[in-house]
């Protein structure tokens, strides 16, 4: 490829585009506003706990083919870990009941015919609702397609959709819910094995990507916040970073892999999602390692518990309401649930609450309609990010796939 490709933003979308282009031999220059790469998916040294933690617990599933191909390219796949089969432990705090859901390997869901393996208090016929959602989601909400009540909804669909859509499921886009189900549950257990970055997000997703880029002669500039774009007859002409202005040459291309609010400032005519949802993570240091690695919690403030060596960590998606609770009270309330589930001492251990207020855009049908395509009306400018119209929810898979798409267009 001739010319330079400038990638603005070193989140997963930007790194996905940059590494795909570097693999094709393109000269890549990455410009990131902050002092670090990874955006909403990275590790940092937490001063309160004195250890390296992630900005949020991130899980992918073995059916996330774009995320896994990105990780294979950069060599981060060996830093993932997870169970050998699609097993998920659940606890219902209202009934004090525990069960393990094991999704069979194949595409035919034999597991729903086994009382021991399906969700307690459900019947095989209940699962037809999932087929309806996958096959005929329509353009409206999940609530318009599914009866958002009953054991199957409360004990499986709600936790799954809340975690992947980061929105109250009944008001979320049915199309996005269907896309998740199609690429995971409907594809069988082989596509549903949960995978986490064993030693932190940066060690799997970010550091290997930066090393991959540097090994291929790419430049990565931190502290380069794009402030303004200038267009002319030939498309995008300059990138203004404040202290430096970069001229976009005749054979150069640019991928904007920034956040929707940055696009709203840089290209005010482009519609972008404008409503967001928070995710909160709570971390507790524990003396002994705990099994299982993931536990879904029903009828609690806690939604998922992740067990790491010496640490239990809780995810609360769609967390805006939980953020009204003062931090210490939130930590105490969540620890009360976690200590009883994981059989830990009642006394509150060292803790931390990490909040991403704009974790993802709100996956409502009207926000979904504001997602722009990767191609812009300018021949040398492309968009990437989990908020681009990928047909997927705002997840690692969506961000990486958007970067792949932008790279294809930029290389064409
Ligand atoms: C707490 C939390 C938990 C999550 N859990 C999961 C999960 O379990 N599974 C999953 O699949 N997904 C999860 N996600 C979603 C996932 O993290 C995101 O979808 C993904 O990281 C988005 O990547 P991105 O590159 O699109 O955006 P970003 O990560 O936001 O990257 C955009 C980058 O652009 C930079 N930038 C912005 N403006 C400018 C500018 N003007 N100039 C230069 N650079 C700029 C930013 O600094 C940033 O580095 C979670 C997200 C959060 C916050």
């Amino acid at each position: 490829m001739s010319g330079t490709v400038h990638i603005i933003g070193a989140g997963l979308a930007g790194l996905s585009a940059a590494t795909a282009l570097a693999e094709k031999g393109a000269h890549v220059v990455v410009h990131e506003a902050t002092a670090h790469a990874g955006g909403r998916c990275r590790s940092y040294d937490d001063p309160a706990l004195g250890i390296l933690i992630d900005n949020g617990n991130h899980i992918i599933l073995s059916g996330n083919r774009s995320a896994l191909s990105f990780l294979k390219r950069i060599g981060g796949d060996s830093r993932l870990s997870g169970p050998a089969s699609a097993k998920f432990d659940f606890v219902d705090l209202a009934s004090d009941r525990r069960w393990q859901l094991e999704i069979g390997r194949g595409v035919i869901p034999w597991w729903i015919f086994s009382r021991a393996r399906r969700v307690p208090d459900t019947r095989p016929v209940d699962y037809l609702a999932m087929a309806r959602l996958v096959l005929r989601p329509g353009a409206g909400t999940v609530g318009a397609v599914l009866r958002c009540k009953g054991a199957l909804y409360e004990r499986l669909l709600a936790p799954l959709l809340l975690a992947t859509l980061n929105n109250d499921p009944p008001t979320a886009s049915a199309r996005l819910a269907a896309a998740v189900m199609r690429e995971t549950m409907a594809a069988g257990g082989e596509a549903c094995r949960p995978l986490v970055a064993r030693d932190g997000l940066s060690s799997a997703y970010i550091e290997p990507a930066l090393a991959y880029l540097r090994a291929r002669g790419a430049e990565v500039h931190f502290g380069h916040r794009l402030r303004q774009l200038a267009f002319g007859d030939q498309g995008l002409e300059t990138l203004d970073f404040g202290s430096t202005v970069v001229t976009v040459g005749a054979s150069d291309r640019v991928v904007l892999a920034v956040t929707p609010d940055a696009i709203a400032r840089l290209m005010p005519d482009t519609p972008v999602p404008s409503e967001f949802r928070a995710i909160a993570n709570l971390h507790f240091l524990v003396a002994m390692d705990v099994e299982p690695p993931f536990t879904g919690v029903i009828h609690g403030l806690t939604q998922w518990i992740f067990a790491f060596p010496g640490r239990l960590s809780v995810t609360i998606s769609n967390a805006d309401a939980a953020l009204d609770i003062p931090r210490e009270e939130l930590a105490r309330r969540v620890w009360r649930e976690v200590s009883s589930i994981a059989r830990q001492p009642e006394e509150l251990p060292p803790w931390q609450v990490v909040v991403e207020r704009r974790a993802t855009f709100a996956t409502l049908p009207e926000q979904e309609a504001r997602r722009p395509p990767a191609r812009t009306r300018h021949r040398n400018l492309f968009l990437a990010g989990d908020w681009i119209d990928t047909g997927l929810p705002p997840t690692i898979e969506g961000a990486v796939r958007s970067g792949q798409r932008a790279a294809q267009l930029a290389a064409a």
Side-chain angles (χ1 to χ4, degrees), residues 9 11-13 32-33 39-40 57-59 224 226 259 385-386 395-396:
L12 284 176
E32 163 59 43
R40 283 171 281 153
N57 296 323
H58 281 63
I59 201 166
H224 268 207
L226 181 63
T259 45
D386 65 354
T395 53
I396 291 178

Side-chain angles (χ1 to χ4, degrees), residues 387-403:
W387 50 275
I388 290 296
D389 186 14
T390 55
L392 294 175
T395 53
I396 291 178
E397 180 67 6
V400 169
R401 209 173 287 180
S402 78

Side-chain angles (χ1 to χ4, degrees), residues 129-192:
M130 286 163 62
R132 200 166 52 239
L133 177 65
V134 171
L135 296 173
R136 272 197 257 142
T141 62
V142 169
V145 185
L146 281 187
R147 189 177 147 262
C148 295
K149 281 202 170 76
L152 182 68
Y153 177 75
E154 285 176 13
R155 292 177 171 175
L156 180 62
L157 296 178
L160 177 76
L161 295 177
L162 184 57
T164 48
L165 302 177
N166 191 26
N167 196 84
D168 188 27
T171 61
S173 152
R175 236 167 47 124
L176 292 181
V180 173
M181 304 291 278
R182 198 174 299 122
E183 296 199 8
T184 55
M185 299 274 292
E190 266 308 300
C192 299

Side-chain angles (χ1 to χ4, degrees), residues 320-367:
D320 297 78
L323 299 185
D324 292 340
I325 305 170
R327 277 165 57 86
E328 182 161 350
E329 189 191 331
L330 182 65
R332 285 188 186 285
R333 282 173 58 181
V334 168
W335 181 248
R336 214 170 296 138
E337 295 176 351
V338 173
S339 58
S340 82
I341 294 167
R343 301 190 172 97
Q344 293 289 307
E346 278 176 24
E347 193 188 335
L348 184 65
W351 57 275
Q352 176 63 291
V353 179
V354 183
V355 175
E356 289 274 1
R357 285 194 179 269
R358 294 161 74 90
T360 67
F361 75 84
T363 51
L364 308 167
E366 59 271 25
Q367 289 292 309

